[in-house]
Amino acid sequence: MIRGILIGVLAVGVAGTAYWGYQEHQEKNAILINAENTYQRAFHDLSYQVDLLHDKIGTTLAMNSRQSLSPSLIEVWRITSEAHSDVGQLPLTLLPFNKTEEFLAKIGNFSYRTAVRDLDKEPLSKDEYNTLKVLYKQSGDIQDDLRKVQHMVLKNNLRWMDVELALASGKESTDNTIIDGFKSVEKTVTGYEGSDLGPTFVNMQKKDENFKKIKGKTISKQEAIKIAKKYMKIDGNSEVKVTENGKGSDYGFYSVSIKNKKTGDEGSMDITKKAGHPIWFINHRDVKKQVLSLNDADNKAATFLKETGFKDLEIFESTQYDNIGVFNFVSKINGIRIYPESIKVKVALDNGDIIGVSAEEYLKSFQTRKIEKPAISLEQARAKVNPNFKVMEDRQAIIINDLNKEVLCYEFLGTIDDDTYRIFINAKSGVEEDVEKMKNAETVYEDVI
């Protein structure tokens, strides 16, 4: 009898295990099917969006009025955004596809920045029209490549899960139609790098000048180490690693990492080869109990910037995260804030150490400027803002607008109800260039029930 009970229990156990295994198998299959469906949808959507993109650019070429051109160019921008989203949902993280994504981004930036300007006063130029013609042809080439891949996927019932497995296992070099197809697309786009897309694209890419405006002698690796130690204040027996970036360029940078063998303190820093300016640095350490106030830390950050050669800066924003103060400084010339020249500084509130700096925007934008006088008065600019807006502060400032141009503005800081805003009015045309909503204090939800 006992033997029968044991056999029965064992049988139930085996049956239960089998059922559990079956359930696990079914759930796993359901997840795989769902992933495959997501990949298939994203891929076919991408093919469709590129079809639309090619047709819409072609349609834009035939237009001549602002009433038609602006909506059409905005539609081109929207389609490139959709295509970007579709690419992001495909398992291509291990497959180089960045050139194609950059190409889509360039089309999106060109179309948006052209659409938002006043095309009645500044119509499409001959160079911009030629740029559209080049983009039309190039998007057609990509369309053909994607359609070939789509045809093979549908004809042979190919699975995207096989692509993901091949990429994850490092076997993408084996025969895989989808991978080969996307490599072909990337190769096609890479071939466009030598083509001339006109001055509009040159202007759009000004932010990528790789610190060309910096003046000074080129430093050595040893000098880079010396500068890094000075900034990061890591003394004693240290382990130092230096990597040289931007090889073959006068405007590259060094990446320096330093570790104190005794204390374990670590720091990382990127330094420009020209003149040895810190692009960014961070000290990796735990920040203990707060001792300093945010105001004290602000003063330490300002002193640090002066001592390290950053002049004529003014703080315009400060935030506290746990026991760390983060301060944003901008250049100030004759009372005018230069927002493109910004530097962030992180200060430890336990002892006032500077534990982080980000100066990339400052270094890429710093230059000698000739600032023209405003064409409208402060009162005329104030009349352009929302009548419900209560102005608390006003000043002149230079910002980068949607067309990637520096413009002189009147800046108004104020409130509408309980929210705080910064509003920028173009000091030449009176156009509302930008409205920025300032962050409110975060709500604490732990006790809100």
Side-chain angles (χ1 to χ4, degrees):
M1 183 177 176
I2 294 174
R3 184 183 175 192
I5 292 171
L6 288 174
I7 291 173
V9 170
L10 184 60
V12 170
V14 170
T17 303
Y19 179 73
W20 175 79
Y22 173 75
Q23 287 288 93
E24 285 284 299
H25 179 71
Q26 289 293 94
E27 289 176 9
K28 184 178 179 181
N29 278 347
I31 293 171
L32 292 174
I33 291 170
N34 183 59
E36 180 65 30
N37 289 341
T38 299
Y39 293 152
Q40 290 286 355
R41 178 194 55 73
F43 170 64
H44 293 295
D45 280 354
L46 173 62
S47 300
Y48 173 68
Q49 296 297 347
V50 173
D51 286 348
L52 280 182
L53 179 64
H54 182 244
D55 290 344
K56 183 55 69 174
I57 294 175
T59 303
T60 305
L61 284 169
M63 295 177 177
N64 194 40
S65 68
R66 181 194 174 184
Q67 287 76 12
S68 301
L69 267 173
S70 288
S72 184
L73 287 166
I74 287 294
E75 184 66 7
V76 170
W77 170 73
R78 185 194 65 79
I79 292 168
T80 58
S81 297
E82 293 283 346
H84 258 298
S85 175
D86 293 327
V87 171
Q89 295 177 60
L90 293 173
L92 300 175
T93 51
L94 301 176
L95 178 67
F97 204 60
N98 56 304
K99 296 296 181 186
T100 304
E101 292 184 274
E102 286 175 15
F103 178 74
L104 290 171
K106 286 177 181 179
I107 295 177
N109 288 337
F110 170 80
S111 57
Y112 178 78
R113 287 170 178 162
T114 307
V116 296
R117 77 172 190 240
D118 190 338
L119 290 172
D120 286 335
K121 294 180 180 178
E122 195 178 350
L124 212 63
S125 68
K126 184 179 178 180
D127 286 329
E128 288 170 329
Y129 184 79
N130 289 334
T131 296
L132 273 176
K133 287 175 71 175
V134 173
L135 293 176
Y136 178 65
K137 180 187 179 303
Q138 293 177 348
S139 62
D141 294 339
I142 296 174
Q143 178 188 39
D144 290 341
D145 286 343
L146 281 176
R147 280 188 170 182
K148 289 174 186 175
V149 180
Q150 188 177 37
H151 171 71
M152 295 305 295
V153 168
L154 294 171
K155 180 183 177 182
N156 300 320
N157 196 26
L158 300 176
R159 297 188 335 136
W160 274 92
M161 289 304 297
D162 294 334
V163 175
E164 187 170 42
L165 291 171
L167 291 173
S169 62
K171 295 179 180 178
E172 67 269 21
S173 58
T174 58
D175 183 25
N176 187 300
T177 302
I178 295 178
I179 291 177
D180 292 342
F182 271 80
K183 283 182 177 179
S184 177
V185 175
E186 185 75 350
K187 186 177 179 181
T188 297
V189 178
T190 303
Y192 301 154
E193 290 187 330
S195 60
D196 182 12
L197 291 175
T200 305
F201 270 80
V202 174
N203 291 337
M204 280 166 47
Q205 294 164 9
K206 279 185 177 178
K207 296 275 293 181
D208 296 324
E209 288 180 335
N210 201 12
F211 316 115
K212 289 182 182 177
K213 293 170 185 170
I214 294 174
K215 295 178 181 179
K217 73 178 186 71
T218 301
I219 65 170
S220 66
K221 283 187 178 181
Q222 290 304 314
E223 288 173 309
I225 293 170
K226 188 177 179 180
I227 292 168
K229 285 186 174 181
K230 172 188 170 185
Y231 274 92
M232 293 187 279
K233 295 182 179 178
I234 297 179
D235 301 317
N237 187 14
S238 302
E239 179 184 338
V240 181
K241 294 180 181 177
V242 184
T243 306
E244 184 175 355
N245 293 282
K247 205 165 186 178
S249 167
D250 291 333
Y251 311 110
F253 57 92
Y254 295 107
S255 292
V256 183
S257 61
I258 304 175
K259 182 177 181 179
N260 186 307
K261 292 181 179 179
K262 185 177 180 180
T263 64
D265 288 346
E266 290 184 74
S268 304
M269 186 175 191
D270 280 357
I271 306 169
T272 60
K273 287 183 181 177
K274 270 288 185 73
H277 293 299
I279 301 169
W280 65 266
F281 83 83
I282 186 168
N283 279 353
H284 309 280
R285 75 167 177 86
D286 292 330
V287 180
K288 299 173 183 177
K289 186 178 178 181
Q290 180 177 349
V291 175
L292 298 178
S293 68
L294 208 58
N295 185 61
D296 291 336
D298 167 14
N299 292 333
K300 285 187 175 292
T303 301
F304 166 81
L305 290 173
K306 286 180 183 177
E307 289 176 348
T308 49
F310 293 102
K311 299 177 181 178
D312 301 320
L313 294 172
E314 176 180 84
I315 187 168
F316 80 94
E317 190 176 48
S318 62
T319 315
Q320 182 172 342
Y321 299 97
D322 294 326
N323 297 323
I324 295 173
V326 180
F327 306 93
N328 208 336
F329 291 81
V330 293
S331 289
K332 189 175 182 181
I333 301 173
N334 298 326
I336 301 171
R337 283 184 177 177
I338 315 297
Y339 280 106
E341 295 180 5
S342 65
I343 300 179
K344 284 188 174 68
V345 181
K346 293 172 71 175
V347 180
L349 299 180
D350 57 356
N351 64 3
D353 278 351
I354 307 299
I355 58 172
V357 168
S358 176
E360 183 173 2
E361 294 299 315
Y362 179 93
L363 295 172
K364 285 185 175 180
S365 302
F366 181 76
Q367 59 184 294
T368 302
R369 292 175 174 81
K370 184 179 179 181
I371 303 174
E372 297 181 358
K373 291 184 177 181
I376 64 173
S377 67
L378 176 65
E379 289 70 26
Q380 288 173 315
R382 189 191 291 258
K384 301 287 185 180
V385 304
N386 188 317
N388 298 316
F389 181 73
K390 296 179 181 178
V391 178
M392 299 158 56
E393 296 178 19
D394 59 66
R395 63 178 61 84
Q396 290 181 37
I398 287 178
I399 65 169
I400 301 288
N401 67 6
D402 285 338
L403 300 177
N404 202 36
K405 294 179 179 178
E406 288 193 0
V407 288
L408 177 64
C409 294
Y410 286 105
E411 174 191 351
F412 298 99
L413 179 70
T415 60
I416 296 178
D417 296 328
D418 296 326
D419 294 316
T420 304
Y421 298 86
R422 275 209 303 258
I423 298 178
F424 296 92
I425 304 296
N426 191 303
K428 184 177 181 181
S429 64
V431 169
E432 189 175 70
E433 289 285 357
D434 193 22
V435 177
E436 179 184 346
K437 182 180 178 295
M438 310 296 285
K439 289 182 180 180
N440 294 328
E442 293 287 337
T443 303
V444 178
Y445 294 99
E446 288 181 0
D447 301 321
V448 182
I449 293 184

